[in-house]
Amino acid sequence: MGEIRVLKTIGETRAQVLKYKKEGKIIGLVPTMGYFHEGHINLMRKARKECDVVFVSLFVNPIQFGPKEDLASYPRDLEHDIKMASKADVDYIFFPEVSEMYPERFQTKVTAGELSKDFCGASRAGHFDGVCTVVSKLFNIMTPDFAYFGMKDYQQLVIIEKMVEDLNFGIKIRRCEITRESDGLAMSSRNTYLTPDERSAAPQFQKSLKALSCEIIEAVKCGKNLNLNEAVNRRCDEILAAGFKKVDYLKIADAQTLNIISNFDQLKKSREIFIAGAMFIGKTRLIDNIVFEI
Ligand code: PAF
């Protein structure tokens, strides 16, 4: 469709959406907070393949950040983002001001349920309510047929799938694989915070997650009773020894229900396993995960 158009208001965005709906076009939405990397571009490419019109929302959503988190320093660069998004031939970037999304006296929120209680939800109070609220607003503004989310934020993805089901949004959620650097580090806008030393230590996170998943698969195959707590602790030590400062969490769960698996008998009842972690390296909190069948 040519050059990307940047839309700043809900009104003009709705008008465009309405026009395409009347023409029977399939609309795709890629919700983002910007500062694009190849991970974002892969979501956009997937949307481009499946949809007639591709909207990307670019909004650093203040209500999903805690008071001590990095809202003010979150990287922002619209020019860079427009250039990157044009690689995926995106049609529109919805780029609202905070006051457009949350005008004075805004007061209604969507509350995430049980799925939000553990993992990142446990260390980031209110985060997933903020995510569900903004994503609901984006869904209502752009009424997409398909919406694209990366598996790096796997808990977010599962929560949004449940919200779409529970609140009857009638939108198909597309899961997209994690995009990684060549050394395995999951791509993230927050990787720009890393110093050179932190950046070279960071890939150990994914290596340890992968090694833990292999250990589990091997133990299941051999019928060996692996002590999951000990296995997790060994991997945490390994990650800390590589230069990480602090473990926020490293947990094993059922990939569908996100129920924590704490022993091998529980593990054998799950078809698909989710291992997720959040780790501090210097001041930066990185998350990563692995989902695998057993
Ligand atoms: O994953 C993100 O970038 C954000 O949480 C999202 C889904 C765009 C909501 O602000």
Side-chain angles (χ1 to χ4, degrees), residues 33 40 44 55 79 93 111 125 132 143 146 158 163 166 168 179 190 197 207 220 228 231-232 241 250 260 286 289 294:
M33 298 207 300
H40 293 111
M44 297 175 203
F55 284 84
E79 288 316 307
I93 295 183
T111 310
C132 286
T143 59
F146 296 95
V158 174
M163 178 184 83
D166 289 349
N168 311 99
T179 306
R190 290 189 170 100
D197 281 352
K207 279 195 194 115
V220 172
L228 294 182
V232 165
L250 180 60
I260 299 293
L286 298 181
N289 71 73
I294 48 169

Side-chain angles (χ1 to χ4, degrees), residues 31-33 59 61 64 127 131 134-135 138 149 153 156 160:
T32 79
M33 298 207 300
F59 180 61
N61 175 34
Q64 71 184 71
H127 169 69
V131 169
V134 78
V135 171
L138 296 169
F149 291 88
D153 297 294
Q156 165 175 284
I160 288 169

Side-chain angles (χ1 to χ4, degrees), residues 19 33 44 75-76 79 109 124 135 146 156 162 172 180 193 198 201 222 248 262 265 267 270 282 290-291:
K19 188 184 88 190
M33 298 207 300
M44 297 175 203
R76 294 159 167 92
E79 288 316 307
K109 280 196 178 166
R124 302 186 71 188
V135 171
F146 296 95
Q156 165 175 284
K162 192 75 186 94
K172 289 186 193 68
R180 296 187 179 279
Y193 299 155
E198 290 164 359
C222 310
D248 183 350
S262 42
D265 287 332
L267 185 124
S270 289
I290 182 162
V291 176

